[in-house]
Amino acid sequence: MGKYTIGVDYGTLSARALLLDIETGREIATSEFTYPHGILQADFFAPNALERSASLEHPQDYLDALHFTVRDVVAKAGITADEVCGIGFDFTSCSVLPLTADGTPLCFLEEFSKEPQAYVKLWNSYTALDEAEHITSTAKAENAPWLKLFGGKVSAEWLFPKLYEILHKAPRVYEKTAHYMEAGDWLTWLLTGNRIASASFAGFKALWNPNTGYPGNDFWAKVDPRMDGIIGTKVTTDVRNAGAFAGGLNEVGAELTGLNVGTAVALPLIDAHAPMCSAGAVNAGQLLLILGTSAGFIVMDDEYRLIDGIFGSIQDGILPGLTAYEASQPSMGNTFAWFVNNCVPAAYMEEAKDRNMGIFALLDEKASLLPPGSNGLLALDWWNGNRSPYNDFDLSGMILGLNLNTKPEEIYRAIIESCAYATKTVMDVYQKGGIRIRDIRAGGGIARKNPMLMQIYADVMGMPIRVTDSIQPGCKGGCIFAAAASGQFENVYAAADALADKCETVYVPDMQRHEQYVALYEHYRRLATYFAEGENPVMKYLRTI
């Protein structure tokens, strides 16, 4: 039996793979594959139109990524396929696509090659707002008990609004859709021949609950008579625990990956969930911050609780025996990128070039010299709407306190501080709901690369934050789940105990600055409440222009 596992992390623009030695815990080789098609643009679909808030991808990129990265890490390590005992992966979610009866993506068919509704709708595709509102209002009218399990509101990001959107905007695609699946679940089907839904996806993004399943077909018939019967047909009812053994690689999977037929495949997880194991956050009350393009805030607890303002809570949703809770922020690193790409003056770019440093490094240097509050600025972090606690994508970002003396680094720091306040809001929501936060850990590219940001987060939260050691925590999580699924460890807890990061980098809060941030945070909460909960409709009005 081999002593290596492979984890693949499917992100928004690329996929990464990691080869892990499960005897020593050493990360042997990594690989990255940038999706050739990227986010599909309007000219790809011409003459058909592409909606402004659509975010679509080509599923062929996922296959090409798997073909390249798995072979690449095996070759770099100088091992053979015989030495690989398992493969696991995570995926952005909710990223869904329509399939034929044999699992072929509808966009592979010539008749649908220019139809946007036939492609993968990424997690950040927000074109199903009306459909989400209709599903929510129908559930409220029916007093559906399951609605409170998902924060009381169905998100446009989730599976059912996106499927309903296809029915509205491309009925022929809907009629041809035999199965509607998360891209991660589709890969499982392709690799093993087993059409299974991971509880990680179904529970947090498709209204599934381990005790009651999905909302029944009688409910969907009330949403729209044409949706009657989708449960058990277009949406599979075979839902199993994330990370569990999904099956061995079939011949298609072996050809795709270059690994042996029979190599164990672990059921996939949401990309923000996979790092829980690699970060060693496997106990109740350990909050994990996944800081990247967007941000995820994941915690597990011994008890099942109904908590307002989060995206969901699923028993055994990540690890058996614990209830997993998820909240998130749909814009973080992409907001920083927006600022650099649109608001940094040429003089700063020239200074960074002259000093042979990146623009982010220059901004970090300048912003680190500022006091809490960025010399009188306060921002709301809603550049891409809000997931937690409001689940409202009509909200938008703002900066308060600008004047003629305001400098770019002050705006930059204010945006970072706003993201930290949003994180504190989520921690407060969890604790108000009865979860005691005992420990905070952080993973993702930003957590490893930006000490200034992490210190601000620690100062705002008022607690130490431990950062994962792995350069690919999502991949490593997949490796750990694969090690358990392949039978190399008794269970995933044993695998995590042996293989998880030590998290030796720790950011300790400056309590004097924390006290300053306590006051600033109260003003952030007042501002957020005013625009999100009050009677002021200005943000929603501006969205309509």
Side-chain angles (χ1 to χ4, degrees):
M1 183 68 75
K3 71 167 189 173
Y4 300 98
T5 58
I6 295 173
V8 183
D9 170 32
Y10 278 94
T12 302
L13 298 176
S14 67
R16 281 81 49 188
L18 169 69
L19 182 79
L20 185 72
D21 185 330
I22 60 174
E23 292 183 352
T24 66
R26 191 163 67 93
E27 300 179 13
I28 305 299
T30 62
S31 179
E32 182 168 6
F33 181 87
T34 299
Y35 304 145
H37 292 93
I39 305 297
L40 298 175
Q41 303 300 311
D43 58 359
F44 181 87
F45 297 103
N48 292 339
L50 183 64
E51 293 180 70
R52 181 179 178 182
S53 56
S55 185
L56 310 178
E57 282 190 334
H58 201 306
Q60 184 62 47
D61 289 349
Y62 309 148
L63 304 182
D64 293 344
L66 196 63
H67 184 276
F68 174 80
T69 59
V70 173
R71 284 174 168 80
D72 192 39
V73 293
V74 169
K76 285 177 177 176
I79 65 170
T80 67
D82 294 337
E83 297 175 87
V84 178
C85 60
I87 182 170
F89 55 100
D90 65 62
F91 218 101
T92 62
S93 178
C94 179
S95 296
V96 282
L97 74 163
L99 305 163
T100 66
D102 67 359
T104 301
L106 260 66
C107 62
F108 285 1
L109 307 180
E110 179 62 29
E111 63 178 307
F112 297 123
S113 63
K114 296 295 183 181
E115 169 53 64
Q117 297 296 324
Y119 283 79
V120 175
K121 296 181 184 180
L122 281 179
W123 61 275
N124 58 347
S125 190
Y126 302 123
T127 53
L129 288 168
D130 291 342
E131 288 77 10
E133 284 292 330
H134 181 63
I135 294 171
T136 299
S137 62
T138 303
K140 288 180 177 178
E142 295 294 316
N143 292 315
W146 52 263
L147 187 61
K148 62 184 178 182
L149 305 178
F150 301 94
K153 185 176 182 180
V154 177
S155 170
E157 294 181 275
W158 295 350
L159 182 145
F160 287 105
K162 289 175 175 175
L163 177 57
Y164 190 19
E165 180 187 24
I166 293 177
L167 175 57
H168 278 159
K169 297 175 180 176
R172 286 184 60 251
V173 174
Y174 183 85
E175 292 169 6
K176 289 278 190 176
T177 299
H179 308 290
Y180 199 61
M181 299 184 78
E182 289 270 3
D185 289 334
W186 169 60
L187 286 178
T188 300
W189 185 12
L190 192 69
L191 293 174
T192 67
N194 300 321
R195 186 165 64 91
I196 305 167
S198 168
S200 179
F201 299 137
F204 287 99
K205 309 296 181 180
L207 306 177
W208 177 86
N209 181 273
N211 299 314
T212 59
Y214 297 103
N217 283 318
D218 56 340
F219 171 77
W220 296 112
K222 291 170 182 173
V223 170
D224 191 307
R226 295 169 296 176
M227 293 184 75
D228 188 11
I230 60 173
I231 305 301
T233 55
K234 294 184 191 296
V235 179
T236 181
T237 55
D238 189 354
V239 182
R240 304 183 195 178
N241 284 354
F245 177 68
L249 284 178
N250 58 16
E251 291 186 1
V252 172
E255 174 63 28
L256 191 59
T257 61
L259 302 178
N260 293 339
V261 170
T263 301
V265 178
L267 277 170
L269 292 88
I270 294 174
D271 56 346
H273 297 183
M276 294 292 284
C277 281
S278 58
V282 297
N283 300 305
Q286 291 185 294
L287 176 63
L288 180 65
L289 317 179
I290 299 299
L291 307 179
T293 302
S294 59
F297 314 115
I298 319 299
V299 68
M300 295 185 290
D301 195 64
D302 296 318
E303 296 184 30
Y304 182 72
R305 310 171 189 273
L306 291 177
I307 301 177
D308 291 332
I310 66 173
F311 247 36
S313 53
I314 303 297
Q315 296 157 292
D316 306 322
I318 299 176
L319 293 174
L322 293 173
T323 298
Y325 299 82
E326 180 188 6
S328 55
Q329 184 179 10
S331 181
M332 186 195 174
N334 48 0
T335 304
F336 307 152
W338 165 85
F339 176 73
V340 166
N341 293 335
N342 296 280
C343 303
V344 175
Y348 278 55
M349 295 293 188
E350 287 297 321
E351 181 181 351
K353 182 179 179 181
D354 291 344
R355 296 176 59 187
N356 195 29
M357 61 194 306
I359 186 60
F360 278 108
L362 178 66
L363 288 170
D364 287 344
E365 178 186 281
K366 292 178 180 293
S368 66
L369 302 176
L370 300 172
S374 308
N375 285 333
L377 298 184
L378 183 63
L380 288 177
D381 54 293
W382 303 333
W383 262 251
N384 201 21
N386 176 275
R387 281 203 195 112
S388 305
Y390 300 116
N391 191 10
D392 190 341
F393 291 92
D394 285 331
L395 298 176
S396 52
M398 72 169 296
I399 302 171
L400 187 67
L402 295 168
N403 60 60
L404 293 177
N405 296 315
T406 300
K407 297 180 179 179
E409 59 267 28
E410 293 169 342
I411 299 175
Y412 175 66
R413 181 174 178 122
I415 294 172
I416 290 174
E417 288 175 336
S418 74
C419 292
Y421 301 147
T423 306
K424 177 70 165 62
T425 300
V426 169
M427 186 172 80
D428 289 350
V429 165
Y430 281 141
Q431 295 196 132
K432 182 180 178 181
I435 299 175
R436 180 189 168 201
I437 304 299
R438 301 175 174 87
D439 175 35
I440 304 178
R441 305 193 175 202
I446 290 176
R448 287 180 51 83
K449 296 174 184 176
N450 197 318
M452 183 204 68
L453 178 144
M454 292 310 305
Q455 187 60 55
I456 290 174
Y457 269 58
D459 293 344
V460 169
M461 307 291 274
M463 291 179 64
I465 301 178
R466 300 178 179 275
V467 177
T468 57
D469 304 321
S470 176
I471 60 173
Q472 297 291 353
C475 293
K476 189 169 183 178
C479 289
I480 292 172
F481 278 105
S486 65
Q488 298 299 296
F489 291 88
E490 181 180 358
N491 53 44
V492 69
Y493 286 101
D497 185 61
L499 302 172
D501 294 344
K502 304 299 182 186
C503 295
E504 295 176 341
T505 300
V506 183
Y507 292 90
V508 179
D510 178 323
M511 296 312 292
Q512 182 177 353
R513 289 199 162 208
H514 173 64
E515 289 304 315
Q516 294 174 284
Y517 276 125
V518 168
L520 287 161
Y521 174 64
E522 287 305 312
H523 287 292
Y524 169 88
R525 291 298 307 137
R526 287 192 188 99
L527 198 63
T529 300
Y530 178 71
F531 283 106
E533 300 178 34
E535 298 299 321
N536 193 318
V538 61
M539 285 188 174
K540 294 179 184 293
Y541 169 73
L542 291 174
R543 282 279 194 178
T544 67
I545 297 177

